[in-house]
Amino acid sequence: MQVCHEWNTAVHVAEAEADAGKRAFTRQELQAFFDHADEQVDRVREAGRKGWLPIFRDGVLFKTAYAFGLRRNEARMLDVVDFGHNPDGPEFGEYGVLYVRHGKAQKGSPPKRRSVLTVWPWAAEILEQWDTEVRPLFTTCEAGALWPSERGSRIGFSQINTRFAAYRDALGLDRALDFHSFRRSYVTHLIEDGWDARFVQEQVGHEHASTTSIYTCVSSDFRTRTLRRALDATMDAALKPSRRKR
């Protein structure tokens, strides 16, 4: 007898974030991408041309998305007031914690909020430079958006997408890499560097650990090192009793 019907089963309303065709940046690819972004700023400024401000902005936006594992809309909707001091991480100054107010929501629910702790000192450094030295040069900065546009209070999706695709294609990187690859890379690199999986899950706001595992695209070298450590630990534990007898 059929016991599951439309009227007595829950509807899966959360959209899947996983796409088999997408992946994280390798560390080499990510470094090349950020280096290219920095080079574009230097190239335009040295040529005495206008337009270096939005190029600088987009480079910092991309780095921030990676540094905090942000989705595209989460990064775009950031305001200056969304950062705060973390008493357990005083070395990060006023950029020790990021309060995400526009997280991905389930269907029919308001945006999901979360706090993301800063884990890399360079993230606080680039944000402080941007907020105190460069962002004020935008005539539209008074609106409070972290990423103001030249003509509006906040950068648009098309500007983000166009700049990302231009940098990726200029470097000849895999077209499977998209803005969300920054988030995948954040998860992957933290796991590879030994951060606790539960901590990483909380940082990116995943309800289930299985979702975080989908994002984890660890390298073959990492898996080999992990296997070697496990085998060595097992072998060492097995040999300890015999060593005591001797």
Side-chain angles (χ1 to χ4, degrees):
M1 178 182 297
Q2 182 177 350
V3 295
C4 295
H5 303 273
E6 291 184 5
W7 55 268
N8 69 351
T9 53
V11 179
H12 183 69
V13 296
E15 296 180 3
E17 294 183 334
D19 184 334
K22 303 298 183 180
R23 65 173 178 84
F25 285 90
T26 66
R27 293 178 189 264
Q28 293 77 15
E29 289 173 335
L30 192 67
Q31 188 62 58
F33 189 96
F34 290 155
D35 287 345
H36 183 74
D38 293 339
E39 290 166 3
Q40 302 316 298
V41 178
D42 295 337
R43 179 178 60 82
V44 173
R45 294 191 69 173
E46 290 173 1
R49 292 163 49 194
K50 296 181 180 180
W52 69 270
L53 273 177
I55 297 175
F56 193 108
R57 173 201 61 202
D58 296 350
V60 180
L61 187 156
F62 293 147
K63 294 173 185 176
T64 301
Y66 166 68
F68 295 91
L70 302 177
R71 302 177 179 91
R72 185 179 56 171
N73 190 56
E74 293 174 348
R76 174 181 173 269
M77 294 302 294
L78 289 178
D79 288 338
V80 175
V81 297
D82 290 335
F83 290 91
H85 178 74
N86 178 6
D88 293 319
E91 63 269 34
F92 301 124
E94 296 304 314
Y95 302 92
V97 57
L98 168 60
Y99 300 101
V100 177
R101 296 181 294 111
H102 295 272
K104 184 177 179 179
Q106 291 187 338
K107 193 172 182 179
S109 300
K112 194 174 181 181
R113 296 178 176 235
R114 74 177 186 279
S115 59
V116 186
L117 302 180
T118 305
V119 297
W120 293 309
W122 62 262
E125 293 171 4
I126 63 169
L127 283 166
E128 182 177 15
Q129 180 191 28
W130 164 253
D131 194 23
T132 59
E133 300 178 19
V134 184
R135 181 181 167 278
L137 299 178
F138 279 85
T139 58
T140 56
C141 69
E142 296 300 326
L146 188 62
W147 319 113
S149 174
E150 304 91 304
R151 299 180 181 85
S153 61
R154 192 181 304 274
I155 189 175
F157 284 120
S158 61
Q159 293 170 288
I160 296 174
N161 296 340
T162 299
R163 187 83 69 188
F164 179 90
Y167 288 177
R168 178 197 62 198
D169 296 345
L171 292 168
L173 298 178
D174 189 348
R175 294 183 66 85
L177 296 169
D178 58 9
F179 191 95
H180 212 69
S181 294
F182 291 132
R183 184 169 163 86
R184 299 185 187 96
S185 303
Y186 175 80
V187 171
T188 299
H189 296 165
L190 285 183
I191 294 296
E192 287 186 339
D193 290 344
W195 290 81
D196 182 78
R198 178 62 182 179
F199 172 81
V200 178
Q201 180 185 342
E202 292 292 331
Q203 288 280 94
V204 294
H206 285 157
E207 185 176 353
H208 304 290
S210 57
T211 307
T212 308
S213 68
I214 293 173
Y215 273 57
T216 309
C217 311
V218 296
S219 66
S220 58
D221 288 342
F222 170 78
R223 288 182 292 170
T224 300
R225 292 195 304 270
T226 302
L227 175 62
R228 187 68 267 163
R229 286 197 300 269
L231 292 176
D232 289 345
T234 301
M235 183 63 69
D236 186 61
L239 293 175
K240 278 183 179 179
S242 59
R243 288 173 180 168
R244 292 196 190 100
K245 291 178 181 179
R246 293 176 185 177

